[in-house]
Amino acid sequence: MVTADDARRVALSLPATVEKLSWGMPTFRAGPAGRIFAALEGDDEVMGVKCPKEDREELIAAEPHKFFLRHGHDEPYAWLRVRLAALDDETELRAVLVDSWRQAAPARLRAAHPELDPPPPDA
């Protein structure tokens, strides 16, 4: 079972990530002045991550036990909620966090870490 401690450890393992308390919760930023790419909610059971709006509906429909929106808050933002305990394992957690990190990291930081680029589509 994936925990908030796992999420913190994996998030902080990503390049130039810093943890900062915002809105009373731990947030993780891609670089000291970077944008937030993940936030742990107060109960440590849910994590918010960056997610393109056009991808959210498909993720939620495919795995509603894992992914959801906090209605009245997330709709206008490129953000998605993840139930940590529902994730399969740390590999899936890392994939979710790397994807979110890539969306928030400045271009120069992303370019410096091509190992975090998604694999090319099969030819």
Side-chain angles (χ1 to χ4, degrees):
M1 180 169 85
V2 174
T3 67
D5 288 338
D6 297 327
R8 175 177 275 110
R9 181 176 39 75
V10 172
L12 290 172
S13 76
L14 298 174
T17 294
V18 295
E19 181 176 348
K20 182 178 179 183
L21 198 63
S22 295
W23 307 291
M25 66 181 110
T27 63
F28 302 91
R29 297 167 184 263
R35 297 185 329 198
I36 295 171
F37 71 89
L40 289 169
E41 302 219 354
D43 60 9
D44 283 349
E45 294 179 10
V46 172
M47 175 179 64
V49 294
K50 301 274 301 165
C51 181
K53 289 181 189 179
E54 59 273 10
D55 295 344
R56 297 186 308 192
E57 189 173 314
E58 184 178 338
L59 285 168
I60 293 167
E63 299 183 284
H65 61 289
K66 291 181 186 179
F67 305 110
F68 68 101
L69 295 179
R70 195 168 84 194
H71 294 288
H73 180 73
D74 293 334
E75 289 89 349
Y77 305 104
W79 206 248
L80 181 72
R81 306 294 162 153
V82 180
R83 291 179 183 91
L84 293 172
L87 293 175
D88 295 337
D89 53 27
E90 194 170 305
T91 300
E92 185 176 28
L93 169 66
R94 181 171 174 77
V96 168
L97 285 169
V98 166
D99 186 59
S100 186
W101 180 90
R102 291 193 78 257
Q103 293 173 64
R108 190 177 300 177
L109 181 57
R110 284 192 321 271
H113 295 281
E115 72 277 10
L116 296 178
D117 288 345
D122 292 336

